[in-house]
Amino acid sequence: YGTAGRSLWTVFEITFSGGWPNYARRLVEEVSVGFAWFFAVYISTVVFAMTRIITALFLKDTLAVAANDAEMMIQEKTREKKAYAAKLLEVFEAADASGDGLITFEEFENFVNDPIVKTYLATLELDANETKNLFCMLDDGDGHVTAEEFVQGAVRLKGVARSQDVVSIMHDFTRMGRHIHALQSSIHELHEKL
């Protein structure tokens, strides 16, 4: 110990070298037992602070990895959606026998009757067993399906949460809404003529 500088050096060694019992024992045994309290509080504080710093560093790294993981999941889902849409476009192009960018019911029925196509559609989570139902769910009521209708309809049909039954009901309501609107317009025109 001796001077103030040597005392600070000793405190530095006590803190970072792990040899604190060698220095503390001399003070406790030769000078005063009161130094035992000082060293107990000092070492406990330093160990607690170091533990908190190390924990904070681990926590920071873990949160950074978790944030990066969430971003990666979003990017992965986006990639999956794009890949799914690309596969659907390939199916659409294969089904469009006339090459006019529209699929009629006849084209769709001929395409879906192939067992390989049914299997491929099943891998895309589309049930092609009821051809007319599937076509009606994809069609917006004009008798043919465009590429956009095909992709949007197939995406709606994909997955457990959106079953074909729910989409079929939604499609029927949309069609009924159009018919009701047309009927209202006709009634309104008749009413004005009278």
Side-chain angles (χ1 to χ4, degrees):
Y1 293 100
T3 65
R6 290 185 70 192
S7 294
L8 286 174
W9 178 251
T10 303
V11 170
F12 178 78
E13 284 183 322
I14 289 171
T15 304
F16 295 106
S17 73
W20 65 271
N22 297 336
Y23 300 107
R25 185 170 288 126
R26 263 176 74 194
L27 280 175
V28 171
E29 290 174 356
E30 295 177 16
V31 180
S32 171
V33 177
F35 282 107
W37 287 103
F38 168 76
F39 280 110
V41 170
Y42 178 74
I43 296 300
S44 297
T45 304
V46 168
V47 168
F48 178 75
M50 294 300 281
T51 304
R52 297 294 292 172
I53 289 170
I54 291 170
T55 303
L57 290 173
F58 279 122
L59 185 62
K60 178 184 163 217
D61 290 342
T62 303
L63 291 175
V65 168
N68 192 20
D69 191 40
E71 290 173 15
M72 286 175 37
M73 286 177 61
I74 291 169
Q75 290 174 353
E76 181 64 29
K77 287 290 184 188
T78 304
R79 269 193 300 269
E80 285 176 13
K81 275 187 166 182
K82 286 180 182 177
Y84 185 72
K87 288 177 184 177
L88 289 171
L89 280 175
E90 288 175 12
V91 169
F92 178 84
E93 289 169 0
D96 184 16
S98 63
D100 61 355
L102 301 171
I103 299 177
T104 63
F105 177 69
E106 292 76 25
E107 286 177 322
F108 189 73
E109 188 173 38
N110 291 337
F111 181 70
V112 172
N113 283 336
D114 184 358
I116 294 172
V117 172
K118 279 188 179 183
T119 304
Y120 185 69
L121 289 175
T123 63
L124 294 176
E125 297 180 32
L126 294 172
D127 183 19
N129 289 325
E130 295 183 30
T131 310
K132 184 160 179 60
N133 240 1
L134 182 58
F135 183 82
C136 288
M137 284 187 267
L138 298 173
D139 181 22
D140 64 359
D142 57 4
H144 57 270
V145 176
T146 64
E148 185 179 345
E149 290 172 349
F150 186 80
V151 172
Q152 287 179 352
V155 167
R156 281 197 324 254
L157 292 171
K158 183 180 187 247
V160 178
R162 298 179 182 186
S163 68
Q164 286 185 352
D165 294 332
V166 173
V167 174
S168 177
I169 291 169
M170 188 174 76
H171 181 72
D172 290 342
F173 278 133
T174 303
R175 192 177 324 155
M176 279 193 324
R178 274 195 226 112
H179 289 299
I180 290 171
H181 182 61
L183 192 61
Q184 283 176 336
S185 297
S186 298
I187 291 172
H188 184 54
E189 287 174 14
L190 286 173
H191 182 63
E192 285 181 0
K193 287 181 181 180
L194 295 175

